[in-house]
Amino acid sequence: MKKIRLGGDSLPYPILKVFLVMKLAFLVVLVSCMQVSAGVFGQNTHLSLKAEDMKFSKMLKLIERKLPYRFVYSTDLVPSDKKVSLDVTDASLDEVMAKILADTDLEFKLISKKLIVIAPKASDIQEVRVKGKVTDSSGMALPGVSVRVVGTNTGTITNGSGEYELSAPGNASLEFSYIGYLSQTVAINNRTEINIKLADNSKGLNEVVVVGFGTQRKANLSGAVATISTKSISNRPVASVQESLQGVSPGLTILNRPGDVGSESNITMTVRGRTNLGSPGPLIIIDGIPVSNREFQSLKPSDIESMSVLKDAASSAIYGSRAANGVILVTTKKGEEGRTSIDLNASYGWQSPTRHFEYLGSYDYATLYNEALSNAGKDPKFTAEQLQYFKDGSRPDEYPNTDWYKEALVKNPALKDVNLGVSGGSKKSQYYLGLGYLGQESLVQNKDLNRYNLRLNASSQVLPILNIGTNISFIKQDRDTKGGELNWVALNRLVPSMVAVHSDGTWGTINGGSADATLAKDNVLRNMAEGGRGYSRDNITQAGLTAKLTPLPGLMIYGQGSLKYNNNMSFAFTNTLPPLINFLTKEEMTSTRVTQNQMVERWSRRQETLIQGYAEYEKQIKAHHFKLMVGASQERNLYRYIAGGRLNFPNNQAGILDLGSSVDLPTENDSYYGTNVPLNRSYEEFWGILSYFGRINYDYKGKYIFEANFRQDYSSRFHPDYRQANFPSLSAAWRMSEEPFLRNATFLDNLKLRASWGILGNESSTPLGNYLDLLKYGAVYSFNGTQVNGAYQDRGVNIEASWENVYMTDFGVDATFLKGKIDVVADYYIKTTKDILVPITVGNTYALKAPTVNQGSTRNKGIELAVTYNDRIGKDFTFSISGNISKINNEILNLGEVNERISDKWIERVGGSVGDFYGLQAIGLFVDDADVANSPKQASATKPGDIKYKDQNGDKIIDANDRVVIGNDVPWFNYGFSITANYKGIDFSILGYGVTNVETYLDNEASYAFFNGAGVKPLHKNRWTKENPDPNADYPRLLLSSDGQHNYNNNNSFWLFDASYFRIRALTLGYTLPEKLTRKASIKNARLYVAANNPFTIMFDDRLTDYDPEIASGRGGYPGIKTWSVGINVKF
Amino acid sequence: MKKQLLIISSLLGVALTQPACNKDFLDRPYQREIEDKTFWTNANDANLALNACYQQIDYGEWSIYDDGKTDNAHAQYPWESAATVISAGDVTSANNVDWSFESIRRVNNFLDKVQDVPMDADLKARFEAEARFLRAFRYANMMNQFGDVPIMTFLPDLTNWNVPRDKRADVLKFIIDELKAVAAVLPSSYGGSQYNEVGRITKGAAVALLARVYLYEGMWTEAAEAAQQVMGMNYDLFKVSEESASDAADDYSQWVDFANADEEKRFRLGLRSYEQQFWAKNNNNVEVILDRQYLEQKDPKYVNTYLLSDDLGGWSSVTPTQALVNDYMSFKTGKPVAALDPAVRAQRYENRESDPTFYDEYKNRDPRFYASILFEHAPWNTITQGYEFTWIPGGNNCSRTGYNFRKFVDPAAWQAGLDNYANHPIIRFAEVLLTYAEAKTAATAAGTQPEASVYDALDRIRVRAGMPVIDRAEYNTAAKLMPVIRQERRIELALEGQRYMDIRRWETAPNVMTTIYNISNGLAQTRAWSDKLYLMPIPLSETDKNPNLLPNNPDY
């Protein structure tokens, strides 16, 4: 065997002959095996054989046939034409082998009971220069790998391209070690090139985590970054990605307000708790491009390659002024070199409400109504005879029992989801094509949503140093309402004594025996059937171009440009309707007509342009590893809206404005402009942001890790003099497990301590145009039948209004034990938000909306803990259990010139928490007249059975001075768990999520009996009555809402309910068909599954029988949805 | 090769980061509102700013809720207005009744900025007078409710908004001075051209408001003088001369024992004249001195919905009390009718099918009764052919008292399926006549007879309503006439918001603000009076922010 000796002063990267590479690699493995089993040697098997001039290889095969041994050797060692002769009888293996190897430099070793290795004799020992490349299992270069000569202190570390070079004795061994990978020891055997593939040690550590403007190995992270596996979010029957993120990562709180199909503003995400006094969400970035919640919602989970949540300041400061509430980075799938692979997933689901809104039937309604009237000293409404009709249902056209929710909603609307992913490519070009369809029917009977997704990610190495990529995505979302919109307020006010449809098929007109024009007109069934029609068409088109230059080893220059259009169009037509006919008198009920039809059409377009670039340089100098990144970006966002509407079309089929009357343009209320704004209008919104950013990474042997980030932002939201803001951050980590004193702790695979500090900004609290002294303009009045416009001041201006700043300090531990069986991530952080924009406290005499000033401050101290346990029982059963908790202690530190601000039910008070409820403390219900007389004075209407309030200041009068903090509505404590298990082809997973120690204030329809004419709920049955004057009853004495204001109007703790809940968020059971079956159909993998979203919910307050914990107010609206689905997943 | 690559890549890198160096791209004109610095350049801008002051003109349809705070009406839904809690006597500083300076600031901003606007001096002076009127009017209403209020004649900034309250007497003087000043500038009418649209504040409005202010203060001589000044302007009571076919279909012969056709005609035209002045088709009629102008569809009012009952698609938000019904005088004699015992009425209501005496109470009443009140079997063909009102006790969106209002409802809008867009009176000529009569009478010694002009003024109102004139022989002293004037005022101005101050300044509120019952003598609303209710509380939320406003009004 030829020995190659390298010159010490030759080129750093000399060109080598490659003929040995492949085979040597094979040998390396063998030799390393020998090393392990060197001590085990011995044989007693004997052989008789005679052969002449037999090929060496054939000879060994012959021996293999006769003896229970297998030979391994490198054909390089033995010339292929070498022939040997043998003639032995009952010879020992030693004798046989000695004869065969007689005239070679080879020797043999039995390394296991059956394996014999033939290898060169370790004779002449000389120093060799070894070089090579270390890669991970996927062939990616691993920089920073420690390469050590076994038994010595000499060694080196791989450079940025994963290459190393050192001198060592030819018979020595090299140990390759690197965080997160299994160490390997390889005998040099005088070789000059040894390339190594390191195998993953414990999953996770080697995961490449997407961070801001780049990637980082998890092991090298010094900030708090959570990665969300695509496994935990795919194949869930949900209509948005956000829904699938709940409970997956501690500190990421997602509140999913139930909403009708395609509604967009109902999901709020917070990272590490609300800190400012509003509640903005994290910045979401898909493939480097910031996106809105709506776009994130429309993203197909199956298109997602990876997702990172940047939680602390160190990791998110690179996003500066929009990162105050964390950053979610999403990377979509890329193609891979190799055979085209096709991934098809299809599912069909059945949706239903998590909780039904429950109203009592007409008999209970009428009975309790009478009770409520008599409690107020008024005459009962329903006679005994009428009550009997309700009870026996004998006169359904006059005394019905209508369950309006049941009538208005569909039982099990479908959720259809089909995704197709195609990927592949050559060595130079790769692509991923994702196609998706989501069809969601609404619980509202006449509505549905159809969404089509297309995503094409392609990249091509056009030059050796230049890679060009494109991200193209298109989303089309159609919502259709085949009829009038469901009016939820009307639905909640429709009482069970009102007829829905009469026996003769006409729409209901009779309520409890007499005609009721108001409710007849508000009949939601009629309006859904005949009221009109509507649709919306949303398109999001995005084209992104990336260029990656790698001109020098370690240097990468990355440029990205993207253009995105978000086009929305909506159409609504309200029909004219004829009057209903009174069922009893057969006369027209004139006021139930709709005399004018109308049409409204709205268009909007958001154009977002982004240009950004950065350069990254990575260098390994001995044990020191550096990475430097600098970049810049600019973003522009331009929104334009136009709406048009007309009245009085010739018929209800008309669909264009031209057909309407030219003079009557309806007005509408607008959250920005106020009431009675002409509908025909357009407006524009613009913002831009310009940023410079940079990062330095340094680590020593992967053991001591440092990172510094810096970002400078200029935002158009602020006055030109106050536009610049700087956001620095620092972080460090210590991989204790790499220290010699822990190296031998076999139970410990990884232990890393992290610390970070940084500043983040929040610009979203500042409205556009904030620093300008503006006059509102629009129609204000009319003179003699002619509308006139006007201009007026509306709000005070503070031109200095600027960013809110978040200062965050984070301490964290990452630990892995028992060969990756147990994984723990824990963080403690202090997140102080300063310069919160708080409206200046002004009295009404100032008479404008108060300007906001950067003067508030809050602090969140929180802990996050995530623990995972993986194990295997027997051969086939593997499982993983993980749990996470997040606890936040929030304190308001400063509110500017005042110490407290009260708004409605809430108080913000220095020393208190965001979300504190403020009101009277209820201490049960009054038992009798004496109780009322002997208690501090409340309202004049207060009677036995009303809520009793605590006289906090002891002045014998219950008034506003007796208000105290009575609860809090922010879930500061969240927990989640998941279990996954696999047994042969069966897989199972369950994901649970809960919050505790949180209250909700339910009022109006949610909890008040007969609220403004509405019905009664099961809660109201457990009321205080004269017969059973229970001071702890679930509900005070029944009163109509106009009579019970003293119980309702005071914000008080009686209406606070425990909103703690635990919810099984997701459930999946899958079965992968045996490969034997699928291979015949040339299918790589086929899996059938049943999945559920939100299947079970436990509420901790048993009074909450019909309340979904995530619903906004409980006043009755689109309910929370649970979905069961079946699906199939096929890979070709 | 390597060098070339390096050059190419450097160039590319620079090219990619280059656009980010230009900061101009952050600026773009704001396209949602007007910037103040580009405004205030000409008369049109001044006009636009003045229009915005009109937007906040006090009252309009909300006058119906002010009557809900009195013995005229019951406002049954506490979430619609503070009237429910005020009438129940439960108002506390937790309620914000009407403490708002928004309109005052708008005026002050206008007055401040218009100074530098280059425009015709006379027009500017008139514009300023209109704005000052609106501010004075607002102050008059604030003073009536709160007594002491801060006089804001400057544009407050963040340092000087927390002013104390000024004494009521100073506020009053401010109002009077302002109204006198603007009356000297304002024209008595507008021609309708640009900047001269009908509906703007006139001299008549300023003087008529002055008369009202004086009257409320008991400054009888001044009130009478101001009223007399308005009576000398071109205002008159609105009248119609014939009935429409649908109106003619109403059969009142079963309600009124007409002596002859003339009497019936007098009755019917009186009824129509009174009710139709509030209809959109008679907007800007001769009786209007000051009103809140509404606009079809674009800016309507909702009284049709608030006042009507469920059967006509209404909510019965504000409904008449029995006490108001009782005060409608006799069509036959022009004199008060004795009220029926509630128990008797309840008994009769119970047996109304068999014993029609129940309906006697509604017979031979002032035509304005039929024009204002919907009672059991009240006919109303104009709303729907063959319509008769029926009370559904306890019904959804039905009255709690047994009656609904019909005054202010515009059947034309209702027929068209639209919201009511009739202008809503704030001051009309009838009020001025009543002010004149009351002030003159009050200024007359109790035992002496008021001068004939007092009777003349009252008779004008009576005649328009189709009622007999005042019996001058019977009511021949000021003491005797005064109750008639007060009753006349209550009837004529029902639901127009005047009753709120009337029962306070007459100090009759303690007697009349008592629990109200429906026609079957069932409880409608528990009411209680305490003297704190003469003034409304300064809201706690305001005194918390500005302790200079303290002390609050007595007992709050």
Side-chain angles (χ1 to χ4, degrees), chain A residues 441-597:
Chain A
E441 287 170 13
S442 169
L443 268 184
V444 176
Q445 54 179 246
N446 57 2
K447 265 180 146 177
D448 62 12
L449 166 84
N450 289 292
R451 187 159 70 209
Y452 309 87
N453 291 56
L454 181 151
R455 176 173 290 277
L456 178 62
N457 293 340
S459 68
S460 188
Q461 193 75 32
V462 295
L463 291 173
I465 59 153
L466 178 63
N467 187 297
I468 300 280
T470 52
N471 287 339
I472 291 168
S473 90
F474 177 74
I475 297 164
K476 173 174 162 61
Q477 179 167 292
D478 298 349
R479 259 175 297 174
D480 290 273
T481 310
K482 296 170 191 73
E485 286 287 332
L486 172 62
N487 180 338
W488 290 94
V489 174
L491 176 58
N492 289 321
R493 304 276 165 88
L494 283 162
V495 289
S497 56
M498 177 79 201
V499 178
V501 181
H502 285 291
S503 54
D504 62 358
T506 58
W507 295 113
T509 51
I510 307 299
N511 179 7
S514 51
D516 187 332
T518 318
L519 292 189
K521 187 173 185 180
D522 283 349
N523 186 337
V524 293
L525 303 181
R526 177 195 187 209
N527 284 330
M528 281 195 288
E530 302 173 354
R533 63 193 196 273
Y535 61 82
S536 73
R537 299 284 177 262
D538 302 338
N539 299 320
I540 304 171
T541 313
Q542 177 193 295
L545 184 67
T546 58
K548 200 160 93 175
L549 268 175
T550 43
L552 289 174
L555 177 65
M556 195 263 280
I557 298 169
Y558 185 84
Q560 180 173 31
S562 104
L563 177 64
K564 188 161 57 184
Y565 286 105
N566 211 317
N567 292 305
N568 305 303
M569 184 263 168
S570 74
F571 170 94
F573 197 98
T574 308
N575 288 349
T576 50
L577 290 176
L580 295 177
I581 307 299
N582 182 325
F583 181 79
L584 298 176
T585 64
K586 305 298 175 198
E587 280 170 11
E588 281 188 359
M589 297 168 78
T590 317
S591 70
T592 60
R593 298 165 307 165
V594 177
T595 53
Q596 291 179 301
N597 50 19

Side-chain angles (χ1 to χ4, degrees), chain B residues 13 156 317 374:
Chain B
S317 298
L374 289 170

Side-chain angles (χ1 to χ4, degrees), chain B residues 197-219:
Chain B
E197 296 90 346
V198 173
R200 288 175 178 271
I201 309 295
T202 57
K203 181 191 186 105
V207 181
L209 179 59
L210 204 50
R212 184 193 279 182
V213 170
Y214 287 136
L215 181 77
Y216 284 3
E217 292 306 310
M219 299 165 73

